[in-house]
Amino acid sequence: MTAIIRKFLSLLFLFVLFIGLVACNKDVVNENGEEKEGKPVKEENVVNVEEAEKLFKDYSTELYTIKDPSNPPTFDEIAENIKVYLTEEQYGAEIANRKFQIPELVSKQINKSIEVQDVKLEEQSKNDDGTIDYLYTTKFKVYDENSSKIYEKEGELTISTTNNELKIDRDWSRGVKIHGLDGGL
């Protein structure tokens, strides 16, 4: 009787071991039986770099453009204009970090206007969740009637597709030091 129980337990152990190995297999198999790694970026979510650059330039222009340093747009005005470019999570994070207040404060402190000249994106990776990571360079012109200087700001950006619209899911940079200012943009 004990020999039968041992054989039964041995078979049960081998069965559980087999199921465990199969369940823990990292390879994903598609419908055709071919292996693939992770989830592909969905075709309807494919973003070309020109669309991403346009989104990011429009966002940067709304965020950083200060035409009259004596009467810059307020935090609330900038926040309202920027909302359409960001995911809800990113918008909330930028509100909490008071990012929209920085251009206004910089412009007032140095008494100069700020204008976005250009943005360049370089694709870094397409992620399993359908987002795309980029490195970016933004060129700003900081000027008044007597002087003008171009600054470059580098950072990282993640763009996602939400309800068939491109949205900025993450924007990070170290900022750029502005002449005549302790901080920067």
Side-chain angles (χ1 to χ4, degrees):
M1 187 69 166
T2 57
I4 294 174
I5 293 175
R6 280 189 190 163
K7 285 183 180 179
F8 177 75
L9 289 176
S10 296
L11 287 173
L12 182 62
F13 174 75
L14 288 174
F15 179 74
V16 170
L17 182 63
F18 175 76
I19 295 298
L21 287 173
V22 169
C24 293
N25 188 355
K26 290 183 180 179
D27 293 333
V28 177
V29 178
N30 68 16
E31 299 85 318
N32 298 331
E34 299 168 12
E35 291 182 10
K36 61 182 181 174
E37 290 184 22
K39 277 187 340 193
V41 175
K42 297 177 185 169
E43 279 194 35
E44 65 268 14
N45 291 345
V46 173
V47 178
N48 67 44
V49 76
E50 292 82 16
E51 290 173 321
E53 280 183 347
K54 181 180 180 343
L55 172 75
F56 188 59
K57 185 167 187 178
D58 292 348
Y59 160 78
S60 297
T61 299
E62 286 290 341
L63 177 59
Y64 293 109
T65 299
I66 306 289
K67 293 180 181 175
D68 181 2
S70 64
N71 187 25
T74 65
F75 174 89
D76 292 333
E77 291 169 335
I78 293 172
E80 189 59 36
N81 292 339
I82 290 296
K83 197 176 208 175
V84 299
Y85 302 104
L86 304 171
T87 61
E88 288 181 30
E89 295 81 16
Q90 183 64 22
Y91 180 75
E94 291 191 9
I95 290 285
N97 292 333
R98 305 209 46 88
K99 182 176 182 175
F100 307 142
Q101 193 172 26
I102 295 171
E104 170 192 2
L105 295 174
V106 167
S107 181
K108 278 183 175 179
Q109 189 171 355
I110 61 175
N111 196 32
K112 293 187 178 191
S113 299
I114 303 170
E115 179 181 302
V116 174
Q117 296 286 294
D118 193 26
V119 299
K120 291 288 181 209
L121 297 181
E122 180 183 332
E123 186 177 307
Q124 292 301 296
S125 62
K126 290 182 179 173
N127 305 308
D128 290 344
D129 62 358
T131 61
I132 302 175
D133 294 328
Y134 296 91
L135 292 179
Y136 70 79
T137 302
T138 305
K139 289 185 181 180
F140 300 97
K141 181 168 96 172
V142 177
Y143 64 98
D144 61 15
E145 59 278 347
N146 299 320
S147 66
S148 175
K149 184 164 183 177
I150 302 291
Y151 294 92
E152 286 190 3
K153 179 179 181 177
E154 295 179 340
E156 299 173 7
L157 180 71
T158 301
I159 293 182
S160 64
T161 303
T162 305
N163 298 326
N164 292 322
E165 292 183 329
L166 295 182
K167 299 284 184 175
I168 295 169
D169 198 62
R170 180 180 64 98
D171 175 12
W172 177 88
S173 79
R174 294 183 191 264
V176 60
K177 177 89 171 102
I178 304 293
H179 181 74
L181 186 65
D182 290 335
L185 282 175

